[in-house]
Amino acid sequence: MLEHETIQGVSGVKPTGLRKRTSSIADEGTYTLDSILRQLSAFHSTMCQHGTDPELIKQVVKQQFYIIGAVTLNNLLLRKDMCSWSKGMQIRYNVSQLEEWLRDKGLMTCGAKETLEPLIQAAQLLQVKKKTDEDAEAICSMCLALTTAQIVKVLNLYTPVNEFEERVSVAFIRTIQTRLRDRCESPQLLMDTKMIYPVTFPFSPSSLALETIQIPSSLNLAFLTRV
């Protein structure tokens, strides 16, 4: 989600002053956005083939997307080399591919898209202007799914990729902090990647009348009595 460049050339310029980072995953084993989408499709196909209730499928997909979004955002908050304008564009495009997958599977209303909102807003934060009071107001209005700690962290990590960009000034960051000081929120920086949504099992009555079902003799269930 962070390192794979689905838009070729956009992230080709390294942020000023940063050394080239070697990926922790060997090139031949690098995960791509396509591999994530294939894995999601495999999970979805398996659940459908086994007749999983559609409501349960929605809950599973929502949990999967939460994990993807939380892990990606946490890594973004810990990596200065990922906090630049071009990376913001790249991340937003990658997220849009996940949204397109949801649309193709008819799962746009299952709540999965909403779990990606913090990551989406972080990507947008990397792309917007960060100079004037008007910019600060726009950021505060836009980043409702991010905590103040996360917003400030991204702004502190923001690194220009060329001489036409500037680092975010200390004064601007203080303006953001002042505007957000009345927010009632957790001071925690990283998202809880182990958070699990409550699972509900909806009652879906069978369209078959149970008294019409014939039990195969090969199952050796003759000791059962039909009531």
PDB file of all heavy atoms in Angstrom, residues 1-4 14-15 18-25 71-84 87-88 91 126 153-159 189-190:
ATOM      1  N   MET A   1       0.816  -1.209   0.000  1.00  0.00           N
ATOM      2  CA  MET A   1       0.000   0.000   0.000  1.00  0.00           C
ATOM      3  C   MET A   1       0.855   1.266   0.000  1.00  0.00           C
ATOM      4  O   MET A   1       0.474   2.281  -0.560  1.00  0.00           O
ATOM      5  CB  MET A   1      -0.922   0.017   1.220  1.00  0.00           C
ATOM      6  CG  MET A   1      -2.054  -1.003   1.158  1.00  0.00           C
ATOM      7  SD  MET A   1      -3.202  -0.697  -0.202  1.00  0.00           S
ATOM      8  CE  MET A   1      -3.931   0.852   0.318  1.00  0.00           C
ATOM      9  N   LEU A   2       2.035   1.204   0.617  1.00  0.00           N
ATOM     10  CA  LEU A   2       2.909   2.375   0.694  1.00  0.00           C
ATOM     11  C   LEU A   2       4.008   2.357  -0.361  1.00  0.00           C
ATOM     12  O   LEU A   2       4.271   3.364  -1.008  1.00  0.00           O
ATOM     13  CB  LEU A   2       3.553   2.471   2.084  1.00  0.00           C
ATOM     14  CG  LEU A   2       2.639   2.792   3.263  1.00  0.00           C
ATOM     15  CD1 LEU A   2       3.456   2.827   4.551  1.00  0.00           C
ATOM     16  CD2 LEU A   2       1.917   4.117   3.063  1.00  0.00           C
ATOM     17  N   GLU A   3       4.651   1.219  -0.527  1.00  0.00           N
ATOM     18  CA  GLU A   3       5.845   1.171  -1.367  1.00  0.00           C
ATOM     19  C   GLU A   3       5.566   0.838  -2.819  1.00  0.00           C
ATOM     20  O   GLU A   3       6.319   1.235  -3.702  1.00  0.00           O
ATOM     21  CB  GLU A   3       6.835   0.147  -0.795  1.00  0.00           C
ATOM     22  CG  GLU A   3       7.376   0.532   0.574  1.00  0.00           C
ATOM     23  CD  GLU A   3       8.464  -0.414   1.052  1.00  0.00           C
ATOM     24  OE1 GLU A   3       8.728  -1.413   0.358  1.00  0.00           O
ATOM     25  OE2 GLU A   3       9.029  -0.156   2.119  1.00  0.00           O
ATOM     26  N   HIS A   4       4.489   0.090  -3.081  1.00  0.00           N
ATOM     27  CA  HIS A   4       4.238  -0.318  -4.463  1.00  0.00           C
ATOM     28  C   HIS A   4       3.742   0.855  -5.293  1.00  0.00           C
ATOM     29  O   HIS A   4       2.773   1.524  -4.936  1.00  0.00           O
ATOM     30  CB  HIS A   4       3.211  -1.445  -4.512  1.00  0.00           C
ATOM     31  CG  HIS A   4       2.964  -1.961  -5.902  1.00  0.00           C
ATOM     32  ND1 HIS A   4       3.957  -2.547  -6.654  1.00  0.00           N
ATOM     33  CD2 HIS A   4       1.850  -1.959  -6.665  1.00  0.00           C
ATOM     34  CE1 HIS A   4       3.454  -2.898  -7.831  1.00  0.00           C
ATOM     35  NE2 HIS A   4       2.186  -2.550  -7.865  1.00  0.00           N
ATOM     36  N   LYS A  14      13.163  10.878  -4.795  1.00  0.00           N
ATOM     37  CA  LYS A  14      13.277  10.652  -3.357  1.00  0.00           C
ATOM     38  C   LYS A  14      13.229  11.978  -2.605  1.00  0.00           C
ATOM     39  O   LYS A  14      13.764  12.983  -3.074  1.00  0.00           O
ATOM     40  CB  LYS A  14      14.593   9.933  -3.028  1.00  0.00           C
ATOM     41  CG  LYS A  14      14.655   8.511  -3.571  1.00  0.00           C
ATOM     42  CD  LYS A  14      13.644   7.622  -2.881  1.00  0.00           C
ATOM     43  CE  LYS A  14      13.680   6.217  -3.449  1.00  0.00           C
ATOM     44  NZ  LYS A  14      12.658   5.352  -2.822  1.00  0.00           N
ATOM     45  N   PRO A  15      12.565  12.027  -1.457  1.00  0.00           N
ATOM     46  CA  PRO A  15      12.534  13.260  -0.660  1.00  0.00           C
ATOM     47  C   PRO A  15      13.940  13.778  -0.384  1.00  0.00           C
ATOM     48  O   PRO A  15      14.874  13.005  -0.178  1.00  0.00           O
ATOM     49  CB  PRO A  15      11.837  12.817   0.633  1.00  0.00           C
ATOM     50  CG  PRO A  15      10.980  11.664   0.210  1.00  0.00           C
ATOM     51  CD  PRO A  15      11.787  10.963  -0.844  1.00  0.00           C
ATOM     52  N   LEU A  18      17.093  12.401   2.130  1.00  0.00           N
ATOM     53  CA  LEU A  18      16.879  11.041   2.618  1.00  0.00           C
ATOM     54  C   LEU A  18      17.656  10.051   1.761  1.00  0.00           C
ATOM     55  O   LEU A  18      17.696  10.158   0.544  1.00  0.00           O
ATOM     56  CB  LEU A  18      15.390  10.674   2.571  1.00  0.00           C
ATOM     57  CG  LEU A  18      14.479  11.390   3.581  1.00  0.00           C
ATOM     58  CD1 LEU A  18      13.060  10.872   3.404  1.00  0.00           C
ATOM     59  CD2 LEU A  18      14.942  11.146   5.008  1.00  0.00           C
ATOM     60  N   ARG A  19      18.254   9.095   2.417  1.00  0.00           N
ATOM     61  CA  ARG A  19      18.937   8.040   1.691  1.00  0.00           C
ATOM     62  C   ARG A  19      17.920   7.049   1.167  1.00  0.00           C
ATOM     63  O   ARG A  19      16.847   6.900   1.706  1.00  0.00           O
ATOM     64  CB  ARG A  19      19.933   7.324   2.606  1.00  0.00           C
ATOM     65  CG  ARG A  19      21.101   8.180   3.043  1.00  0.00           C
ATOM     66  CD  ARG A  19      21.987   7.427   4.013  1.00  0.00           C
ATOM     67  NE  ARG A  19      21.262   7.124   5.242  1.00  0.00           N
ATOM     68  CZ  ARG A  19      21.766   6.416   6.232  1.00  0.00           C
ATOM     69  NH1 ARG A  19      22.978   5.911   6.131  1.00  0.00           N
ATOM     70  NH2 ARG A  19      21.061   6.182   7.329  1.00  0.00           N
ATOM     71  N   LYS A  20      18.287   6.347   0.106  1.00  0.00           N
ATOM     72  CA  LYS A  20      17.392   5.342  -0.460  1.00  0.00           C
ATOM     73  C   LYS A  20      17.186   4.233   0.566  1.00  0.00           C
ATOM     74  O   LYS A  20      18.131   3.703   1.115  1.00  0.00           O
ATOM     75  CB  LYS A  20      17.990   4.756  -1.750  1.00  0.00           C
ATOM     76  CG  LYS A  20      17.107   3.690  -2.402  1.00  0.00           C
ATOM     77  CD  LYS A  20      17.724   3.202  -3.694  1.00  0.00           C
ATOM     78  CE  LYS A  20      16.916   2.080  -4.314  1.00  0.00           C
ATOM     79  NZ  LYS A  20      15.531   2.452  -4.586  1.00  0.00           N
ATOM     80  N   ARG A  21      15.935   3.913   0.824  1.00  0.00           N
ATOM     81  CA  ARG A  21      15.596   2.892   1.817  1.00  0.00           C
ATOM     82  C   ARG A  21      15.477   1.543   1.123  1.00  0.00           C
ATOM     83  O   ARG A  21      14.814   1.411   0.097  1.00  0.00           O
ATOM     84  CB  ARG A  21      14.282   3.248   2.519  1.00  0.00           C
ATOM     85  CG  ARG A  21      13.843   2.203   3.553  1.00  0.00           C
ATOM     86  CD  ARG A  21      12.479   2.569   4.084  1.00  0.00           C
ATOM     87  NE  ARG A  21      11.983   1.539   4.991  1.00  0.00           N
ATOM     88  CZ  ARG A  21      11.810   1.712   6.280  1.00  0.00           C
ATOM     89  NH1 ARG A  21      12.131   2.859   6.833  1.00  0.00           N
ATOM     90  NH2 ARG A  21      11.317   0.743   7.017  1.00  0.00           N
ATOM     91  N   THR A  22      16.110   0.558   1.691  1.00  0.00           N
ATOM     92  CA  THR A  22      16.013  -0.789   1.146  1.00  0.00           C
ATOM     93  C   THR A  22      14.800  -1.485   1.738  1.00  0.00           C
ATOM     94  O   THR A  22      14.607  -1.493   2.943  1.00  0.00           O
ATOM     95  CB  THR A  22      17.272  -1.615   1.488  1.00  0.00           C
ATOM     96  OG1 THR A  22      18.402  -0.929   0.961  1.00  0.00           O
ATOM     97  CG2 THR A  22      17.181  -3.011   0.891  1.00  0.00           C
ATOM     98  N   SER A  23      13.980  -2.043   0.864  1.00  0.00           N
ATOM     99  CA  SER A  23      12.779  -2.715   1.336  1.00  0.00           C
ATOM    100  C   SER A  23      13.146  -3.907   2.198  1.00  0.00           C
ATOM    101  O   SER A  23      14.121  -4.605   1.956  1.00  0.00           O
ATOM    102  CB  SER A  23      11.936  -3.178   0.138  1.00  0.00           C
ATOM    103  OG  SER A  23      10.827  -3.919   0.587  1.00  0.00           O
ATOM    104  N   SER A  24      12.359  -4.140   3.244  1.00  0.00           N
ATOM    105  CA  SER A  24      12.608  -5.263   4.140  1.00  0.00           C
ATOM    106  C   SER A  24      12.194  -6.582   3.515  1.00  0.00           C
ATOM    107  O   SER A  24      12.466  -7.639   4.035  1.00  0.00           O
ATOM    108  CB  SER A  24      11.842  -5.051   5.453  1.00  0.00           C
ATOM    109  OG  SER A  24      10.460  -4.907   5.187  1.00  0.00           O
ATOM    110  N   ILE A  25      11.482  -6.500   2.402  1.00  0.00           N
ATOM    111  CA  ILE A  25      11.043  -7.707   1.706  1.00  0.00           C
ATOM    112  C   ILE A  25      11.884  -7.848   0.443  1.00  0.00           C
ATOM    113  O   ILE A  25      12.080  -6.901  -0.299  1.00  0.00           O
ATOM    114  CB  ILE A  25       9.555  -7.617   1.327  1.00  0.00           C
ATOM    115  CG1 ILE A  25       8.727  -7.319   2.568  1.00  0.00           C
ATOM    116  CG2 ILE A  25       9.077  -8.902   0.677  1.00  0.00           C
ATOM    117  CD1 ILE A  25       7.254  -7.072   2.258  1.00  0.00           C
ATOM    118  N   VAL A  71      -2.883  -0.786   9.547  1.00  0.00           N
ATOM    119  CA  VAL A  71      -1.467  -1.135   9.407  1.00  0.00           C
ATOM    120  C   VAL A  71      -0.764  -0.147   8.477  1.00  0.00           C
ATOM    121  O   VAL A  71       0.364   0.288   8.740  1.00  0.00           O
ATOM    122  CB  VAL A  71      -1.308  -2.583   8.884  1.00  0.00           C
ATOM    123  CG1 VAL A  71       0.143  -2.871   8.524  1.00  0.00           C
ATOM    124  CG2 VAL A  71      -1.801  -3.579   9.929  1.00  0.00           C
ATOM    125  N   THR A  72      -1.434   0.217   7.383  1.00  0.00           N
ATOM    126  CA  THR A  72      -0.839   1.159   6.432  1.00  0.00           C
ATOM    127  C   THR A  72      -0.628   2.529   7.066  1.00  0.00           C
ATOM    128  O   THR A  72       0.448   3.128   6.935  1.00  0.00           O
ATOM    129  CB  THR A  72      -1.730   1.303   5.183  1.00  0.00           C
ATOM    130  OG1 THR A  72      -1.951   0.013   4.594  1.00  0.00           O
ATOM    131  CG2 THR A  72      -1.057   2.201   4.146  1.00  0.00           C
ATOM    132  N   LEU A  73      -1.646   3.026   7.766  1.00  0.00           N
ATOM    133  CA  LEU A  73      -1.517   4.338   8.397  1.00  0.00           C
ATOM    134  C   LEU A  73      -0.433   4.328   9.468  1.00  0.00           C
ATOM    135  O   LEU A  73       0.369   5.269   9.562  1.00  0.00           O
ATOM    136  CB  LEU A  73      -2.852   4.758   9.021  1.00  0.00           C
ATOM    137  CG  LEU A  73      -2.838   6.123   9.720  1.00  0.00           C
ATOM    138  CD1 LEU A  73      -2.491   7.240   8.738  1.00  0.00           C
ATOM    139  CD2 LEU A  73      -4.185   6.411  10.383  1.00  0.00           C
ATOM    140  N   ASN A  74      -0.367   3.272  10.272  1.00  0.00           N
ATOM    141  CA  ASN A  74       0.660   3.197  11.320  1.00  0.00           C
ATOM    142  C   ASN A  74       2.059   3.222  10.726  1.00  0.00           C
ATOM    143  O   ASN A  74       2.961   3.875  11.263  1.00  0.00           O
ATOM    144  CB  ASN A  74       0.468   1.928  12.151  1.00  0.00           C
ATOM    145  CG  ASN A  74      -0.720   2.026  13.094  1.00  0.00           C
ATOM    146  OD1 ASN A  74      -1.322   3.083  13.239  1.00  0.00           O
ATOM    147  ND2 ASN A  74      -1.062   0.929  13.740  1.00  0.00           N
ATOM    148  N   ASN A  75       2.258   2.519   9.624  1.00  0.00           N
ATOM    149  CA  ASN A  75       3.567   2.533   8.970  1.00  0.00           C
ATOM    150  C   ASN A  75       3.877   3.908   8.382  1.00  0.00           C
ATOM    151  O   ASN A  75       5.022   4.362   8.418  1.00  0.00           O
ATOM    152  CB  ASN A  75       3.615   1.469   7.875  1.00  0.00           C
ATOM    153  CG  ASN A  75       3.944   0.089   8.415  1.00  0.00           C
ATOM    154  OD1 ASN A  75       5.110  -0.271   8.580  1.00  0.00           O
ATOM    155  ND2 ASN A  75       2.925  -0.684   8.729  1.00  0.00           N
ATOM    156  N   LEU A  76       2.855   4.569   7.855  1.00  0.00           N
ATOM    157  CA  LEU A  76       3.040   5.918   7.313  1.00  0.00           C
ATOM    158  C   LEU A  76       3.489   6.879   8.403  1.00  0.00           C
ATOM    159  O   LEU A  76       4.383   7.716   8.192  1.00  0.00           O
ATOM    160  CB  LEU A  76       1.728   6.406   6.696  1.00  0.00           C
ATOM    161  CG  LEU A  76       1.721   7.841   6.147  1.00  0.00           C
ATOM    162  CD1 LEU A  76       2.642   7.952   4.939  1.00  0.00           C
ATOM    163  CD2 LEU A  76       0.301   8.262   5.780  1.00  0.00           C
ATOM    164  N   LEU A  77       2.905   6.731   9.597  1.00  0.00           N
ATOM    165  CA  LEU A  77       3.235   7.624  10.715  1.00  0.00           C
ATOM    166  C   LEU A  77       4.631   7.374  11.280  1.00  0.00           C
ATOM    167  O   LEU A  77       5.120   8.164  12.086  1.00  0.00           O
ATOM    168  CB  LEU A  77       2.202   7.451  11.832  1.00  0.00           C
ATOM    169  CG  LEU A  77       0.774   7.905  11.500  1.00  0.00           C
ATOM    170  CD1 LEU A  77      -0.193   7.469  12.588  1.00  0.00           C
ATOM    171  CD2 LEU A  77       0.719   9.412  11.304  1.00  0.00           C
ATOM    172  N   LEU A  78       5.251   6.284  10.869  1.00  0.00           N
ATOM    173  CA  LEU A  78       6.584   5.947  11.374  1.00  0.00           C
ATOM    174  C   LEU A  78       7.674   6.086  10.311  1.00  0.00           C
ATOM    175  O   LEU A  78       8.832   5.816  10.594  1.00  0.00           O
ATOM    176  CB  LEU A  78       6.580   4.505  11.911  1.00  0.00           C
ATOM    177  CG  LEU A  78       5.654   4.232  13.110  1.00  0.00           C
ATOM    178  CD1 LEU A  78       5.645   2.738  13.439  1.00  0.00           C
ATOM    179  CD2 LEU A  78       6.076   5.049  14.319  1.00  0.00           C
ATOM    180  N   ARG A  79       7.276   6.511   9.114  1.00  0.00           N
ATOM    181  CA  ARG A  79       8.253   6.559   8.021  1.00  0.00           C
ATOM    182  C   ARG A  79       8.289   7.924   7.356  1.00  0.00           C
ATOM    183  O   ARG A  79       7.361   8.317   6.644  1.00  0.00           O
ATOM    184  CB  ARG A  79       7.926   5.478   6.990  1.00  0.00           C
ATOM    185  CG  ARG A  79       8.113   4.073   7.520  1.00  0.00           C
ATOM    186  CD  ARG A  79       7.953   3.035   6.433  1.00  0.00           C
ATOM    187  NE  ARG A  79       8.870   3.262   5.326  1.00  0.00           N
ATOM    188  CZ  ARG A  79       8.966   2.422   4.288  1.00  0.00           C
ATOM    189  NH1 ARG A  79       8.209   1.340   4.248  1.00  0.00           N
ATOM    190  NH2 ARG A  79       9.810   2.673   3.310  1.00  0.00           N
ATOM    191  N   LYS A  80       9.362   8.623   7.593  1.00  0.00           N
ATOM    192  CA  LYS A  80       9.534   9.953   7.016  1.00  0.00           C
ATOM    193  C   LYS A  80       9.629   9.904   5.499  1.00  0.00           C
ATOM    194  O   LYS A  80       9.175  10.820   4.807  1.00  0.00           O
ATOM    195  CB  LYS A  80      10.798  10.585   7.599  1.00  0.00           C
ATOM    196  CG  LYS A  80      11.010  12.046   7.212  1.00  0.00           C
ATOM    197  CD  LYS A  80      12.228  12.608   7.934  1.00  0.00           C
ATOM    198  CE  LYS A  80      12.403  14.090   7.620  1.00  0.00           C
ATOM    199  NZ  LYS A  80      13.573  14.649   8.334  1.00  0.00           N
ATOM    200  N   ASP A  81      10.195   8.810   4.974  1.00  0.00           N
ATOM    201  CA  ASP A  81      10.379   8.712   3.524  1.00  0.00           C
ATOM    202  C   ASP A  81       9.059   8.512   2.784  1.00  0.00           C
ATOM    203  O   ASP A  81       9.024   8.557   1.553  1.00  0.00           O
ATOM    204  CB  ASP A  81      11.350   7.577   3.175  1.00  0.00           C
ATOM    205  CG  ASP A  81      10.849   6.225   3.667  1.00  0.00           C
ATOM    206  OD1 ASP A  81      10.276   6.170   4.768  1.00  0.00           O
ATOM    207  OD2 ASP A  81      11.034   5.226   2.954  1.00  0.00           O
ATOM    208  N   MET A  82       7.975   8.273   3.511  1.00  0.00           N
ATOM    209  CA  MET A  82       6.676   8.089   2.883  1.00  0.00           C
ATOM    210  C   MET A  82       5.802   9.334   2.975  1.00  0.00           C
ATOM    211  O   MET A  82       4.698   9.356   2.460  1.00  0.00           O
ATOM    212  CB  MET A  82       5.938   6.911   3.546  1.00  0.00           C
ATOM    213  CG  MET A  82       6.546   5.569   3.231  1.00  0.00           C
ATOM    214  SD  MET A  82       6.406   5.163   1.479  1.00  0.00           S
ATOM    215  CE  MET A  82       7.869   4.156   1.235  1.00  0.00           C
ATOM    216  N   CYS A  83       6.292  10.359   3.657  1.00  0.00           N
ATOM    217  CA  CYS A  83       5.488  11.564   3.863  1.00  0.00           C
ATOM    218  C   CYS A  83       5.912  12.666   2.902  1.00  0.00           C
ATOM    219  O   CYS A  83       6.669  13.581   3.252  1.00  0.00           O
ATOM    220  CB  CYS A  83       5.595  12.029   5.320  1.00  0.00           C
ATOM    221  SG  CYS A  83       4.790  10.906   6.474  1.00  0.00           S
ATOM    222  N   SER A  84       5.420  12.579   1.687  1.00  0.00           N
ATOM    223  CA  SER A  84       5.698  13.596   0.681  1.00  0.00           C
ATOM    224  C   SER A  84       4.470  13.744  -0.206  1.00  0.00           C
ATOM    225  O   SER A  84       3.546  12.918  -0.159  1.00  0.00           O
ATOM    226  CB  SER A  84       6.911  13.194  -0.180  1.00  0.00           C
ATOM    227  OG  SER A  84       6.637  11.996  -0.897  1.00  0.00           O
ATOM    228  N   LYS A  87       3.983  10.749  -2.639  1.00  0.00           N
ATOM    229  CA  LYS A  87       3.524   9.541  -1.953  1.00  0.00           C
ATOM    230  C   LYS A  87       2.048   9.662  -1.561  1.00  0.00           C
ATOM    231  O   LYS A  87       1.310   8.676  -1.577  1.00  0.00           O
ATOM    232  CB  LYS A  87       4.374   9.264  -0.714  1.00  0.00           C
ATOM    233  CG  LYS A  87       5.615   8.427  -0.996  1.00  0.00           C
ATOM    234  CD  LYS A  87       5.235   7.056  -1.558  1.00  0.00           C
ATOM    235  CE  LYS A  87       6.468   6.233  -1.897  1.00  0.00           C
ATOM    236  NZ  LYS A  87       6.090   4.933  -2.513  1.00  0.00           N
ATOM    237  N   GLY A  88       1.633  10.865  -1.210  1.00  0.00           N
ATOM    238  CA  GLY A  88       0.226  11.075  -0.898  1.00  0.00           C
ATOM    239  C   GLY A  88      -0.653  10.737  -2.086  1.00  0.00           C
ATOM    240  O   GLY A  88      -1.705  10.086  -1.939  1.00  0.00           O
ATOM    241  N   ILE A  91      -0.566   6.829  -2.569  1.00  0.00           N
ATOM    242  CA  ILE A  91      -1.372   6.128  -1.564  1.00  0.00           C
ATOM    243  C   ILE A  91      -2.858   6.295  -1.867  1.00  0.00           C
ATOM    244  O   ILE A  91      -3.637   5.338  -1.778  1.00  0.00           O
ATOM    245  CB  ILE A  91      -1.048   6.647  -0.151  1.00  0.00           C
ATOM    246  CG1 ILE A  91       0.398   6.283   0.221  1.00  0.00           C
ATOM    247  CG2 ILE A  91      -2.009   6.047   0.879  1.00  0.00           C
ATOM    248  CD1 ILE A  91       0.913   7.020   1.453  1.00  0.00           C
ATOM    249  N   LEU A 126      -1.151  15.018   2.902  1.00  0.00           N
ATOM    250  CA  LEU A 126       0.164  15.134   2.263  1.00  0.00           C
ATOM    251  C   LEU A 126       0.109  15.971   0.988  1.00  0.00           C
ATOM    252  O   LEU A 126       1.127  16.510   0.552  1.00  0.00           O
ATOM    253  CB  LEU A 126       0.700  13.738   1.927  1.00  0.00           C
ATOM    254  CG  LEU A 126       1.093  12.851   3.113  1.00  0.00           C
ATOM    255  CD1 LEU A 126       1.436  11.447   2.626  1.00  0.00           C
ATOM    256  CD2 LEU A 126       2.248  13.448   3.895  1.00  0.00           C
ATOM    257  N   LYS A 153       1.800  14.691  13.548  1.00  0.00           N
ATOM    258  CA  LYS A 153       2.895  13.783  13.193  1.00  0.00           C
ATOM    259  C   LYS A 153       3.161  13.813  11.698  1.00  0.00           C
ATOM    260  O   LYS A 153       4.314  13.891  11.255  1.00  0.00           O
ATOM    261  CB  LYS A 153       2.541  12.361  13.640  1.00  0.00           C
ATOM    262  CG  LYS A 153       3.643  11.334  13.377  1.00  0.00           C
ATOM    263  CD  LYS A 153       4.862  11.580  14.244  1.00  0.00           C
ATOM    264  CE  LYS A 153       5.860  10.437  14.123  1.00  0.00           C
ATOM    265  NZ  LYS A 153       7.062  10.674  14.954  1.00  0.00           N
ATOM    266  N   VAL A 154       2.100  13.750  10.894  1.00  0.00           N
ATOM    267  CA  VAL A 154       2.256  13.791   9.444  1.00  0.00           C
ATOM    268  C   VAL A 154       2.880  15.114   9.010  1.00  0.00           C
ATOM    269  O   VAL A 154       3.780  15.143   8.152  1.00  0.00           O
ATOM    270  CB  VAL A 154       0.899  13.584   8.740  1.00  0.00           C
ATOM    271  CG1 VAL A 154       1.021  13.846   7.239  1.00  0.00           C
ATOM    272  CG2 VAL A 154       0.386  12.168   8.966  1.00  0.00           C
ATOM    273  N   LEU A 155       2.438  16.196   9.602  1.00  0.00           N
ATOM    274  CA  LEU A 155       2.987  17.514   9.248  1.00  0.00           C
ATOM    275  C   LEU A 155       4.460  17.627   9.624  1.00  0.00           C
ATOM    276  O   LEU A 155       5.265  18.207   8.892  1.00  0.00           O
ATOM    277  CB  LEU A 155       2.185  18.615   9.946  1.00  0.00           C
ATOM    278  CG  LEU A 155       0.720  18.776   9.496  1.00  0.00           C
ATOM    279  CD1 LEU A 155       0.028  19.841  10.323  1.00  0.00           C
ATOM    280  CD2 LEU A 155       0.651  19.126   8.013  1.00  0.00           C
ATOM    281  N   ASN A 156       4.832  17.057  10.761  1.00  0.00           N
ATOM    282  CA  ASN A 156       6.239  17.083  11.178  1.00  0.00           C
ATOM    283  C   ASN A 156       7.114  16.216  10.277  1.00  0.00           C
ATOM    284  O   ASN A 156       8.287  16.530  10.040  1.00  0.00           O
ATOM    285  CB  ASN A 156       6.369  16.606  12.627  1.00  0.00           C
ATOM    286  CG  ASN A 156       6.106  17.729  13.629  1.00  0.00           C
ATOM    287  OD1 ASN A 156       6.574  18.844  13.465  1.00  0.00           O
ATOM    288  ND2 ASN A 156       5.332  17.424  14.668  1.00  0.00           N
ATOM    289  N   LEU A 157       6.540  15.103   9.794  1.00  0.00           N
ATOM    290  CA  LEU A 157       7.307  14.188   8.951  1.00  0.00           C
ATOM    291  C   LEU A 157       7.361  14.631   7.492  1.00  0.00           C
ATOM    292  O   LEU A 157       8.202  14.152   6.737  1.00  0.00           O
ATOM    293  CB  LEU A 157       6.701  12.776   9.012  1.00  0.00           C
ATOM    294  CG  LEU A 157       6.843  12.000  10.328  1.00  0.00           C
ATOM    295  CD1 LEU A 157       6.122  10.658  10.221  1.00  0.00           C
ATOM    296  CD2 LEU A 157       8.312  11.778  10.669  1.00  0.00           C
ATOM    297  N   TYR A 158       6.460  15.531   7.108  1.00  0.00           N
ATOM    298  CA  TYR A 158       6.368  15.924   5.700  1.00  0.00           C
ATOM    299  C   TYR A 158       7.721  16.407   5.181  1.00  0.00           C
ATOM    300  O   TYR A 158       8.361  17.279   5.764  1.00  0.00           O
ATOM    301  CB  TYR A 158       5.330  17.025   5.510  1.00  0.00           C
ATOM    302  CG  TYR A 158       5.140  17.385   4.052  1.00  0.00           C
ATOM    303  CD1 TYR A 158       4.354  16.599   3.229  1.00  0.00           C
ATOM    304  CD2 TYR A 158       5.785  18.486   3.496  1.00  0.00           C
ATOM    305  CE1 TYR A 158       4.190  16.901   1.883  1.00  0.00           C
ATOM    306  CE2 TYR A 158       5.636  18.803   2.161  1.00  0.00           C
ATOM    307  CZ  TYR A 158       4.828  18.003   1.355  1.00  0.00           C
ATOM    308  OH  TYR A 158       4.687  18.304   0.026  1.00  0.00           O
ATOM    309  N   THR A 159       8.145  15.811   4.075  1.00  0.00           N
ATOM    310  CA  THR A 159       9.464  16.110   3.506  1.00  0.00           C
ATOM    311  C   THR A 159       9.331  16.471   2.032  1.00  0.00           C
ATOM    312  O   THR A 159       8.776  15.683   1.254  1.00  0.00           O
ATOM    313  CB  THR A 159      10.398  14.884   3.636  1.00  0.00           C
ATOM    314  OG1 THR A 159      10.422  14.466   5.005  1.00  0.00           O
ATOM    315  CG2 THR A 159      11.806  15.225   3.175  1.00  0.00           C
ATOM    316  N   LEU A 189      -1.331   7.817  19.226  1.00  0.00           N
ATOM    317  CA  LEU A 189      -0.870   8.112  17.874  1.00  0.00           C
ATOM    318  C   LEU A 189      -1.234   7.007  16.895  1.00  0.00           C
ATOM    319  O   LEU A 189      -1.817   7.257  15.842  1.00  0.00           O
ATOM    320  CB  LEU A 189       0.653   8.323  17.867  1.00  0.00           C
ATOM    321  CG  LEU A 189       1.299   8.522  16.491  1.00  0.00           C
ATOM    322  CD1 LEU A 189       0.788   9.800  15.844  1.00  0.00           C
ATOM    323  CD2 LEU A 189       2.824   8.545  16.609  1.00  0.00           C
ATOM    324  N   LEU A 190      -0.886   5.765  17.235  1.00  0.00           N
ATOM    325  CA  LEU A 190      -1.092   4.655  16.310  1.00  0.00           C
ATOM    326  C   LEU A 190      -2.465   4.020  16.492  1.00  0.00           C
ATOM    327  O   LEU A 190      -3.013   3.987  17.586  1.00  0.00           O
ATOM    328  CB  LEU A 190      -0.004   3.589  16.516  1.00  0.00           C
ATOM    329  CG  LEU A 190       1.446   4.057  16.321  1.00  0.00           C
ATOM    330  CD1 LEU A 190       2.398   2.900  16.540  1.00  0.00           C
ATOM    331  CD2 LEU A 190       1.648   4.671  14.934  1.00  0.00           C
TER     332      LEU A 190
END
